[in-house]
């Protein structure tokens, strides 16, 4: 179903277990007011040819690119996402050596039926935000930042022995419990396979 909106953009810090690299997630925090979210995915692909034709094709998630258009990236969010630091005068300082830690990113998109699609991307590493500014002319034009991140798979295996990179659910699907939707932003969703 088509989507007609985007809101509730959150991030959750990741702590990695030193011996395994498995992720645990902190409490989700509002990132900014969401304007746009563009997710593109790159696949690793291989084709096995036999008897003069394609016999097997394998396509696996390699990584993705997430570009977020937001109303503002505050000082605390910039620190959390990019590794920038605040000096003793409260000024945000970005250095060439900065390289923030990966975070989980969650958001929702309103569908044309009034329900929502909820998404968590389990591991995203962001670059320094880009900004486009222009002088005021005859009309008012808003200038807002965008930030681009690389989406990666989790280190932690799920109960099926796979490395998930995204969780998504459509509100209102018959097998989706209301508790799943209600808890979406209280913590990063963990796969639940029996």
């Amino acid at each position: 179903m088509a989507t007609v909106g985007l809101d509730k953009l959150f991030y959750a810090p990741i702590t990695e277990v030193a011996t395994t690299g498995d992720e645990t997630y902190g409490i989700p925090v509002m990132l900014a007011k969401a304007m746009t979210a563009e997710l593109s995915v790159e696949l690793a692909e291989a084709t096995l040819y036999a008897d003069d034709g394609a016999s097997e094709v394998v396509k696996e998630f390699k990584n993705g690119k997430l570009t977020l258009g937001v109303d503002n990236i505050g000082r605390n969010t910039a620190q959390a996402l990019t590794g920038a630091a605040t000096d003793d005068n409260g000024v945000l300082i970005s250095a060439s050596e900065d390289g923030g830690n990966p975070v989980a990113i969650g958001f929702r998109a309103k569908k044309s039926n009034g329900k929502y699609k909820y998404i968590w991307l389990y591991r995203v590493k962001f670059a320094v935000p880009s900004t486009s500014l222009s002088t005021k002319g005859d009309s008012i034009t808003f200038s807002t930042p965008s930030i681009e991140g690389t989406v990666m798979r989790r280190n932690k295996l799920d109960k099926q022995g796979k490395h998930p990179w995204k969780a998504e659910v459509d509100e209102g699907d018959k097998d989706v419990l209301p508790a799943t939707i209600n808890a979406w932003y209280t913590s990063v969703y963990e796969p639940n396979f029996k």
Side-chain angles (χ1 to χ4, degrees):
M1 181 170 292
T3 59
V4 295
L6 174 69
D7 68 356
K8 296 214 174 202
L9 179 59
F10 281 73
Y11 74 93
I14 295 174
T15 303
E16 292 185 21
V17 176
T19 56
T20 64
D22 288 355
E23 299 90 350
T24 57
Y25 299 98
I27 297 171
V29 177
M30 178 77 92
L31 192 151
K33 290 182 179 178
M35 295 170 48
T36 61
E38 183 179 328
L39 175 63
S40 59
V41 175
E42 187 175 335
L43 300 175
E45 186 174 336
T47 304
L48 174 68
Y49 291 93
D51 287 339
D52 294 334
S55 175
E56 293 184 39
V57 176
V58 175
K59 294 183 181 197
E60 294 181 349
F61 174 80
K62 187 175 175 183
N63 61 41
K65 182 173 77 170
L66 176 66
T67 304
L68 297 173
V70 295
D71 70 330
N72 184 33
I73 297 176
R75 186 172 57 191
N76 292 337
T77 301
Q79 286 179 239
L81 299 185
T82 69
T86 302
D87 75 3
D88 294 339
N89 293 321
V91 177
L92 183 68
I93 306 297
S94 296
S96 61
E97 295 83 6
D98 291 346
N101 295 320
V103 295
I105 296 292
F107 52 90
R108 71 179 188 173
K110 190 172 188 177
K111 301 185 303 181
S112 59
N113 67 358
K115 305 282 185 181
Y116 288 89
K117 173 184 287 297
Y118 291 82
I119 296 172
W120 272 110
L121 300 172
Y122 285 119
R123 191 173 178 89
V124 182
K125 182 152 175 118
F126 284 100
V128 175
S130 64
T131 304
S132 176
L133 305 171
S134 62
T135 190
K136 187 168 84 171
D138 291 337
S139 62
I140 297 172
T141 303
F142 288 104
S143 296
T144 58
S146 65
I147 188 164
E148 185 176 293
T150 300
V151 179
M152 301 169 281
R153 68 176 198 170
R154 279 173 51 157
N155 295 327
K156 183 179 178 181
L157 292 170
D158 64 19
K159 290 185 180 177
Q160 292 185 320
K162 297 180 179 179
H163 298 275
W165 64 275
K166 176 174 80 167
E168 67 180 271
V169 65
D170 285 329
E171 180 183 24
D173 281 357
K174 65 180 179 180
D175 57 344
V176 176
L177 299 173
T180 301
I181 300 300
N182 294 338
W184 199 255
Y185 293 109
T186 59
S187 63
V188 175
Y189 181 79
E190 286 290 341
N192 183 19
F193 296 107
K194 304 243 185 254

